[in-house]
Amino acid sequence: MSDSTAGQRPGDSEHDGDQLPGQSASDQGETVSAELRKRVIGTPPPAEARSMLGTPAPGTAGVPPVPRPRELPADPQNPLGAKRAERVVAACFVIATVAGLGFIAAYVILPVHSVLRVQHSNWALGLTLSLVFLALAAGAVFWVRNVMPDVQLTEARKPLRSTEEDRAAFQTTFEEGTQASQIVKRPLLRRTLIAASLPVAIAPILLLRDMGPLPRESLDHTVWRRGLRLLNYGGNTPIRPADFSSPGGMITVVPDGYQDDFNALAKAACIIIKFAPGQIDFTSANHPVPGKVVENWTVDNIVAYSKICTHVGCPAALYEQTTHHILCPCHQSTFDAPRGAKVIFGPATRALPQLPMTVDAQGYLVARHDFTEPVGPSFWERGTTA
Amino acid sequence: MSIDRALSGTGNWLDERFRGAKGLRAVFRKLYPDHWTFLLGEVALYSFVILLLTGTFLTLFFKPSMTEIVYHGTYVKLDGVKMSEAYASTLKISFDVRGGLLMRQIHHWAADLFVAAILAHMLRIFFTGAYRKPREVNWLIGLVLFTLALLEGLFGYSLPDDLLSGAGLRITQGVLQSIPIVGTYLSFFLFGGQYPGHSIIPRMYILHVLLIPGIFLALIGAHIFIMYHQKHTQMPSKGRTNTNVVGAPAWPYFAVKTTALFLFVFAAVTLASTFVQINPIWIYGPYNPLAISSGSQPDFYMGFLEGSLRIMPAWQWVIFGHTFAFNVFIPALLPLGLIMTGAALWPFLEQWITGDKREHHVNDRPRNAPTRTGLGMAAVAFYGVLWAEGANDVIAQHLDISLYLVTWIARIAIFVVPVLAYIITKRICLGLQRKDLHLLEHGVETGIIRQLPSGEFIEETRPVSDEALAKLARPEPLALPAGRADGEEEVPARGMRGGVGRVKARLNKVLTESVPMNGHGADGRGNGHGPDEHGAEHARAAIGSPEPRADDSADGSGSPH
């Protein structure tokens, strides 16, 4: 990872803080002199320490060091410009200071707990904070560009491949280590080790098993059952066919007793639409399977479909009254409502399932039974298309 | 000076414990080449830092819980509405915590910037060939980081449990469920049962704030360490070669510059968060599986997946009683899979086709690798069409055309536009190469017309500067001769025999298509040895070019000197 520097003199002779304005060079100088001081005051240094250090660092041995050529100029090329730039940078930092104080003030003074006050607080906090960052950033850029001297250094780049000696040395170390470990020679050790690691490797997956129940047949059913009333979602009132004074819009209905149960509604939500007499066309032409007709489970020209799109499960919530198209806003699957909600555009492959309806003794719309097919998006175990 | 003493005292204390002087000096002295495109990766890094900072703040107040409560808080429009604790606590962060809204918005803007910067960074790496040996591993790590960023973003914006993100989550579940064989099980395990269940928010939360950021930290660490260890690439320029690094040292130049960039990034997202509202979840309302609004678009980075779902025709098979929902899992997995697999294999494919196993530290100008640049633009076009289709309803509304028409245009465009992008880009690159070659051969036009004693008018040109020469001169062709497959007498080289060899030779021809440097290039070309060359000499060398078109002004280019 060390950089090879053009013109750099080797190792411990670099000692002086004036060569690099960095911390590291002066650190090293301090280290060396501290060690030497210890040697003078304390016991004599051990022989190997002396030999490792080689000759004492020149600066401390009284010999004046040969000054290394500076890599970076100490001062900018244009001192006048730098002076001006310094003032600009300082101005930026003053702005940042003021803005920072403004941020604190805004935090302390401005209350929240209402939309309008939050808006004002957000403006004040955001503006002061942006100004802090912006002024600091601008100052820093101005500093590095106009106050620091311009430099462009070049250093050599060695090929990444290790030298042949290093590679050979590594290979030796590795091979000797491998041989010493006996792992190659003793297959019993090797095989039992592999055997031991296999079962425990499954543990992380195994432990995830209880994250959820198995699907079994749960996706095939909803909470709809015989006699369950259709409630107007939101108002939660049962619906009489006569409540539809005229053909038109679509309303969302939910099963009675489940109006607040999102887990049930995510599958059971339905839409009902009333058509004018003769509009509904459930002939075989509209059934995906040849020869079959769409079941007619309507009541008084009212039809109920699952609201859960058969593509990926968004609520198919848009209804165009003029064309009688049901549209899912997520991916624009379009279903033809009077023709069994068959798909006429978009990525959905299946018609919206129809909820079989009838009326109960009080004249309210109720389910005849559950959907005859799974609602919502496709899944592997779903099977037949219709 | 007491500061000096304090510093050296600290340095001494540390060095006596860690022997850091030598290593730290190398860090401080490390050279950083400059180019504005090198900042893109840094922008991504600093967005990530901002995400960590603001995200930590948000966790202090956010409740990752799907327990249903009735809201009675500051936002009166939702008073008495049932919602999850996650949604309610997000309202609280927005309206009742000082600076909470700002932090939320900074977090969201920074996330968008994070992905955008990653995308831009990736494109820069691709188009300049910076992924070439020895940097393939970092390219792969980058691809993983990009994919993780998408996932992290998806989980993050789903956490508030609002109506918009809930729709996104519903789509995610539908997609998961569609995967053949394992899909239903994956969905049931992730959601803890049927959709929506009560587990998904807390589970996404821990993935979002712990697991994925942890992987991020590890991979970003590896990414930066590898880059540091291998040293930066540099753009072609005077004095920059494959065996050197030209730049300013980390201390103080890069340190100050990169700090400034961090502050600029922070300032930019803070300014955006001050004045541009993002993800106002109180307007969307709490999640409800029965409700949806049109114009539901996810954050921009998920847009291409959304478009992919919208563009797909309704194909589905039932085979042996099992459902293959091609209409869902193909668009969900194919585009990302295609782009990611292609991107991951590309460096190795390129090496195989060109036989170029050398280290590359000087980047290509995109024009100098026309086929690669063309392929990259084809991928961009592919992504772009999907992305636009993700907003097909918005487009249809604004252009007042049929929604279905937009989708049909996209269905055709997804095949046509990438091909067009490839062809057009390649032509533009070759054109730019010709322009560069013209400059090299003829010098810079000065606009001065001179009359020779013979009465002939010539246009004066001057040689290109050394700096420009280093840029214009194209490095050795990308292709090392991979062997002959067409030679009848010669035995093809190893690896070039048989059908595979012929395919390789064909690909090689396509991949290395460039405007020829006219033969005299062997000595006159920059070849990465900028300082050894002299612009004048080069221009003179160009005069001798046998190309007829060069003759007219060739005299002119040399004579003023």
Side-chain angles (χ1 to χ4, degrees), chain A residues 71 113 149 157 263 267 334 381, chain B residues 29 96 184 197 243 253 404:
Chain A
E71 276 189 328
H113 305 299
R157 186 201 294 274
N263 286 314
K267 283 198 306 185
T334 311
E381 297 83 356
Chain B
R29 169 60 171 66
D96 300 306
T184 318
T243 51
Y253 294 92
Y404 304 153

Side-chain angles (χ1 to χ4, degrees), chain B residues 136-137 139-140 344-353 357:
Chain B
E136 305 96 324
V137 174
W139 171 249
L140 296 179
L345 293 181
W346 174 252
F348 307 100
L349 200 64
E350 192 184 61
Q351 272 175 28
W352 180 73
I353 294 171
K357 310 276 190 208

Side-chain angles (χ1 to χ4, degrees), chain B residues 122-133 139 235 342-343 346-347 349-351 353-354 356 358 360 362-380 421-422 425-427 429-430 433 475-479 507-514:
Chain B
M122 251 169 70
L123 290 176
R124 197 280 290 180
I125 299 289
F126 182 80
F127 284 126
T128 62
Y131 56 79
R132 289 174 296 176
K133 187 181 172 189
W139 171 249
M235 293 306 285
W346 174 252
L349 200 64
E350 192 184 61
Q351 272 175 28
I353 294 171
T354 60
D356 186 348
R358 300 166 299 178
H360 289 278
V362 177
N363 290 330
D364 281 332
R365 299 170 79 209
R367 70 186 61 175
N368 288 340
T371 302
R372 178 206 295 152
T373 307
L375 285 174
M377 285 310 292
V380 170
Y422 173 78
T425 308
K426 200 163 170 179
R427 289 302 117 191
C429 287
L430 292 172
Q433 284 189 353
E476 306 142 48
L478 180 70
L507 289 174
N508 190 316
K509 213 170 154 195
V510 174
L511 188 61
T512 57
E513 188 180 342
S514 270

Side-chain angles (χ1 to χ4, degrees), chain A residues 61-260:
Chain A
V63 183
V66 186
R68 195 177 78 169
R70 293 190 70 95
E71 276 189 328
L72 307 179
D75 291 306
Q77 287 88 343
N78 175 6
L80 262 180
K83 187 76 205 158
R84 272 198 306 276
E86 183 188 359
R87 291 200 197 102
V88 176
V89 176
C92 284
F93 291 170
V94 169
I95 292 173
T97 314
V98 173
L101 292 172
F103 179 82
I104 295 171
Y107 186 88
V108 174
I109 296 168
L110 294 180
V112 284
H113 305 299
S114 94
V115 176
L116 201 65
R117 285 190 302 230
V118 164
Q119 190 181 28
H120 294 156
S121 161
N122 192 59
W123 278 341
L125 291 173
L127 201 58
T128 48
L129 196 61
S130 327
L131 206 55
V132 172
F133 296 141
L134 205 58
L136 279 175
V141 167
F142 220 72
W143 186 354
V144 80
R145 287 231 173 143
N146 298 308
V147 183
M148 296 185 194
D150 271 344
V151 288
Q152 187 88 305
L153 302 182
T154 303
E155 66 183 10
R157 186 201 294 274
K158 284 182 288 192
L160 281 158
R161 185 189 163 98
S162 306
T163 60
E164 290 309 319
E165 303 88 78
D166 286 348
R167 289 161 72 104
F170 172 77
Q171 192 171 353
T172 311
T173 304
F174 182 75
E175 279 173 4
E176 285 177 0
T178 310
Q179 281 160 12
S181 78
Q182 306 284 306
I183 187 102
V184 182
K185 274 189 207 151
R186 299 180 194 276
L188 182 65
L189 272 182
R190 202 166 63 231
R191 285 169 196 162
T192 48
L193 178 66
I194 292 171
S197 59
L198 281 183
V200 80
I202 300 166
I205 309 250
L206 189 72
L207 284 170
L208 297 180
R209 165 60 191 88
D210 280 347
M211 280 183 69
L214 293 180
R216 302 197 191 279
E217 260 134 49
S218 56
L219 287 178
D220 298 345
H221 311 292
T222 72
V223 294
W224 287 109
R225 58 178 189 270
R226 181 177 180 78
L228 210 57
R229 277 185 181 159
L230 282 66
L231 297 190
N232 182 357
Y233 185 58
N236 294 333
T237 48
I239 303 161
R240 281 199 180 90
D243 294 342
F244 284 98
S245 48
S246 59
M250 152 178 123
I251 59 173
T252 300
V253 293
V254 294
D256 192 3
Y258 297 92
Q259 48 269 45
D260 292 324

